Amino acid sequence: MSETPTIPVVTVDGPSGSGKGTISQILATKLGYHLLDSGALYRLTALAVIKNDIDINQVDKVAQAALDLDVVFDPQPDGEQKVLLNGEDVGVQLRLDETSAMASQVAAIPEVREALLIRQKQFRQKPGLVADGRDMGTVVFPDAEHKVFLTASPEIRAERRHKQLIEKGVDANISHLLKSIIDRDERDRTRTVAPLVPAEGAFVIDSSDLTIDEVVQQILDFIGFSEQ
Ligand SMILES: Nc1ncnc2c1ncn2[C@@H]1O[C@H](COP(=O)(O)OP(=O)(O)OP(=O)(O)O)[C@@H](O)[C@H]1O
Ligand SMILES: Nc1ccn([C@H]2C[C@H](O)[C@@H](COP(=O)(O)O)O2)c(=O)n1
């Protein structure tokens, strides 16, 4: 009897600023796969909490906000994704400091993680999915064929984030960025639900001394995909 073929998933997990988003977007385009930016779902929940003035301690209300998210991810020709919340383009709001800080808090609530689980699994559509986050290989898609854990030193990640913000015209202080990266790593690694750890069998890449192209190529080699 033949088995039902499962839809392939490539998971890319790692700490903040390790390059997951950038690398996953390029991989999805090259492989012709869908893309799940799971961090955006936590950021969207955070934004809904802020906009609706929900008390973060009222766990049921925060989880309900996660369940009720009216969100559309609209892939653009350049590989970027436009994110619409209740029809509003919230791309910039998602990246504000206030949203990032709230996202980190909502992500530590088990009921919120549970609420977002089914939504994340629904992204697994043919011909395949590249899923970027913290627990893609450990919790959301434990049966994924290919799991990657991307990292880089906190100093390099702070430098990259600093450059990214300056290029966007946002004023940023590198020592402040480094401190917030170290704090966020600690929170993500030590939380009781879905802590940030490499999945068993994951291909671990330290990109501190690698270019974006070199990282992408290492992952394509790992997957066994060759470009024509
Ligand atoms: N190997 C690399 N070499 C140089 N710059 C890189 C590399 N990987 C990523 N970058 C740059 O680092 C910045 C942060 O990358 P990115 O936003 O993809 O990280 P992330 O892990 O998705 O972060 P977050 O989890 O906070 O969303 C971007 O400006 C990206 O272009
Ligand atoms: N699968 C995920 C994705 C993200 N988070 C948390 C980590 C951050 O605090 C926040 C925003 O993520 P980012 O956009 O920076 O990748 O959400 C998580 O816990 N699990």
Side-chain angles (χ1 to χ4, degrees):
M1 213 168 28
S2 67
E3 280 181 28
T4 315
T6 52
I7 297 172
V9 183
V10 180
T11 60
V12 184
D13 289 308
S16 178
S18 58
K20 305 176 302 292
T22 308
I23 302 293
S24 297
Q25 199 176 295
I26 299 171
L27 281 176
T29 303
K30 285 192 187 281
L31 297 169
Y33 283 6
H34 300 280
L35 177 66
L36 165 60
D37 171 4
S38 61
L41 291 173
Y42 289 95
R43 287 174 184 273
L44 283 158
T45 305
L47 204 53
V49 165
I50 295 167
K51 282 180 184 283
N52 295 305
D53 213 6
I54 297 170
D55 178 353
I56 184 75
N57 297 307
Q58 295 201 297
V59 168
D60 290 352
K61 288 195 174 163
V62 180
Q64 194 60 46
L67 282 174
D68 290 345
L69 284 178
D70 174 2
V71 56
V72 174
F73 290 95
D74 184 11
Q76 302 296 296
D78 62 1
E80 290 271 335
Q81 293 207 96
K82 204 180 246 190
V83 186
L84 306 173
L85 179 63
N86 300 318
E88 181 191 1
D89 183 345
V90 290
V92 174
Q93 294 176 57
L94 285 186
R95 291 275 148 195
L96 295 177
D97 275 354
E98 186 191 7
T99 318
S100 303
M102 183 60 85
S104 177
Q105 291 190 60
V106 303
I109 302 174
E111 290 83 350
V112 170
R113 303 200 74 87
E114 189 62 34
L116 292 178
L117 195 57
I118 294 172
R119 198 184 278 262
Q120 292 174 85
K121 286 181 187 286
Q122 287 168 344
F123 279 77
R124 191 172 195 167
Q125 302 282 342
K126 284 181 184 169
L129 176 69
V130 178
D132 138 27
R134 304 291 191 289
D135 59 345
M136 297 296 98
T138 49
V139 176
V140 184
F141 302 109
D143 64 333
E145 270 182 281
H146 300 294
K147 301 181 183 184
V148 175
F149 190 86
L150 191 57
T151 185
S153 72
E155 290 75 16
I156 292 280
R157 287 186 278 138
E159 265 174 41
R160 288 178 185 165
R161 186 67 84 207
H162 185 252
K163 184 162 172 265
Q164 187 183 32
L165 290 170
I166 298 295
E167 279 169 6
K168 281 188 186 161
V170 179
D171 195 20
N173 174 294
I174 197 152
S175 22
H176 181 254
L177 287 171
L178 179 59
K179 182 174 180 330
S180 98
I181 280 177
I182 291 170
D183 290 350
R184 194 125 70 100
D185 282 0
E186 179 66 11
R187 270 202 304 274
D188 287 348
R189 264 195 221 113
T190 56
R191 68 181 173 214
T192 46
V193 278
L196 175 67
V197 285
E200 207 183 314
F203 176 38
V204 179
I205 306 178
D206 184 333
S207 78
S208 303
D209 298 317
L210 298 173
T211 64
I212 292 173
D213 286 349
E214 286 169 338
V215 175
V216 169
Q217 194 52 55
Q218 287 203 9
I219 298 175
L220 291 176
D221 291 345
F222 168 66
I223 293 171
F225 177 85
S226 64
E227 293 181 78
Q228 303 302 316

